[in-house]
Amino acid sequence: MATAHRILFCIIALLPFISSNGAVVHRSDTLISLITCHAGPEIYELEGHSGVRIATPAYDYVLNYGLFDFNAPGFVYRFVKGETDYFVGLADFNSFVQSYAAQGRRVVEQQLDLTGEEKSNIIDLAQKALLPENRVYRYNYVKDNCSTRCLQLIEAAVGDTLTFKRGDGMPENTTFRREMKRFHGSYPWYQFGIDMALGKGIDYPLALRERAFAPVMLQYLMDSASLAGHDGMPRNIVGQTVELFPGIDGGASLPSTPWWATPFVAAVVLFLLSVSITVRDISRQRVSRWFDSLLFGIVGLSGFLLTFLIFVSVHEATSPNYLYMWLNPFVLVISVAIWIKSAKNVVLCCHFINFALVSLMAVLWPFLSQCGNWAFIPLIAADLLRSVNYIYINCVKNPTGNTRR
């Protein structure tokens, strides 16, 4: 999952595959390999990156499906919307490896045990993929990326679907979300954002091959990958594995986030602050408008983001998202109307609705087949507590409506 600005040496051309007389070079001594670059420090590098090496005595290139132009007009908006176009290109093999080694990232080559015909198929398919009308594709974080494209290329070349075996350390039952958490351990805020933005579409049980959405996981799966041979016996697809660069000790990703700076701790602090302010509100019989305005303003703005992801974005994993019962733009009314004295009944009605929706979500959550984040629990508790606080002060303590806010 590399960027165009990081791979300036990328070559978008067919010339390396063409001999001087215009014929396609199909050599018996061609080497075809799967190259896996392990995790880097950026969030888009945490699952690693995959490429297919095509080497002959005449040339040595890596077919790279992970290129994108961050400076393209509207890139961020289109990425969030799910209209992200990646493209395939060629990179000089040595420059490709050196660029990842310079980051301290482990680089592994799995040389594929292919027949001459299968090697020729790889070259033909790569040549076709590099054509201007084919080189751009619609990237999908878990279904169509640099890793899945490499796997599809190999399977198309051998004319069969690879069979994988579950290796040691691979859980028997897992989901996209659980697999992501394995790679995002040092980046809890990134995982927090994923858990908020992506709905139940990443929580279904995965088939073994679906785990190949992560390049590093594809490498581990390829260790056991096989296909039926001409004699009916399984044939291992990987002939030899070579570590091109060992990587730095501890890996190239950033150090783990300190426990006190994690989303869960921040959420607990917010909840405790909510409890403290609520106790003071009840003793004074007055709602702290500034706190509710800030809290429900953040919730409401998060709801706008989810509204876009659910109803506008074409990302298949963003809808349905049952967190929308909690994070919705409706509560922005509270953050604004709480400052308007004549809008007290509007605010009260909004709190009743918010309490009902969030409580319903909490009750139904075990049955909704969507996993959340531990930090959501104290945040939801703070949300409910402030709604109860407003309802209690205005309907129980001072039902006549003389409460100071």
Side-chain angles (χ1 to χ4, degrees), residues 244-305:
L244 300 175
F245 185 76
I248 60 176
D249 292 339
S253 58
L254 297 177
S256 298
T257 300
W259 66 268
W260 46 265
T262 60
F264 181 75
V265 172
V268 169
V269 170
L270 179 61
F271 173 71
L272 295 177
L273 180 61
S274 300
V275 171
S276 176
I277 292 176
T278 298
V279 170
R280 189 186 67 169
D281 285 357
I282 293 175
S283 66
R284 298 188 310 164
Q285 298 184 32
R286 184 170 66 184
V287 175
S288 296
R289 292 183 293 177
W290 65 271
F291 185 76
D292 282 0
S293 183
L294 179 62
L295 175 64
F296 290 104
I298 294 174
V299 172
L301 291 176
S302 300
F304 267 118
L305 174 60

Side-chain angles (χ1 to χ4, degrees), residues 68-80 83-86:
F68 63 85
D69 184 6
F70 188 81
N71 295 318
F75 177 85
V76 175
Y77 170 79
R78 297 184 67 235
F79 188 90
V80 175
E83 296 179 348
T84 306
D85 290 334
Y86 274 47

